[in-house]
Amino acid sequence: QVRLVESGGGLVQPGGSLRLSCAASGNIFGTSLMGWYRQAPSKERELVATITRGGTTNYVDSVKGRFTISRDNAKNTVYLQMNSLKPEDTAVYYCKFYTLGRDYWGQGTQVTVSS
């Protein structure tokens, strides 16, 4: 069975940085878009960033200039570099791969930004 394996979450102070990774443990065919979502306590899951196969990126306004999404197509891996982290970035972060057949979700990794 295909799994998306996430890593890189943790606790960081405001202004710090984290780098999240998400890689498929099995074969996924036809991945055209990859993305990162997050869900904070008492809030709905929101789309944070997406990246196309060609490298075109989009970000939610609240993270523009601070977060960078990237991908390695050969490794079927997506990354999220998070800089200048704020307490409001605290959430469980989920990666997502979009394919023609179905979408795949990571299990989530906790990011906590606190002093």
Side-chain angles (χ1 to χ4, degrees):
Q1 178 75 296
V2 171
R3 289 198 310 149
L4 301 187
V5 181
E6 300 185 27
S7 63
L11 192 154
V12 65
Q13 294 184 347
S17 298
L18 287 173
R19 180 177 171 86
L20 306 183
S21 299
C22 174
S25 63
N27 290 332
I28 298 180
F29 302 100
T31 302
S32 61
L33 191 72
M34 298 177 176
W36 287 94
Y37 288 73
R38 67 185 180 187
Q39 188 165 18
S42 302
K43 291 187 176 181
E44 302 209 345
R45 190 172 298 187
E46 68 169 345
L47 179 62
V48 177
T50 60
I51 183 167
T52 69
R53 179 174 293 273
T56 301
T57 59
N58 283 283
Y59 301 91
V60 67
D61 286 344
S62 60
V63 309
K64 287 181 179 177
R66 300 188 298 118
F67 290 12
T68 303
I69 187 172
S70 60
R71 64 189 284 171
D72 185 329
N73 292 328
K75 296 180 178 179
N76 224 2
T77 300
V78 65
Y79 306 92
L80 187 67
Q81 177 67 46
M82 304 184 293
N83 299 325
S84 302
L85 283 162
K86 304 175 180 180
E88 48 263 50
D89 296 318
T90 296
V92 178
Y93 284 72
Y94 301 88
C95 57
K96 185 178 181 180
F97 287 15
Y98 306 76
T99 73
L100 289 175
R102 59 161 289 184
D103 301 331
Y104 297 87
W105 287 92
Q107 290 297 119
T109 185
Q110 177 70 49
V111 172
T112 302
V113 185
S114 176
S115 299

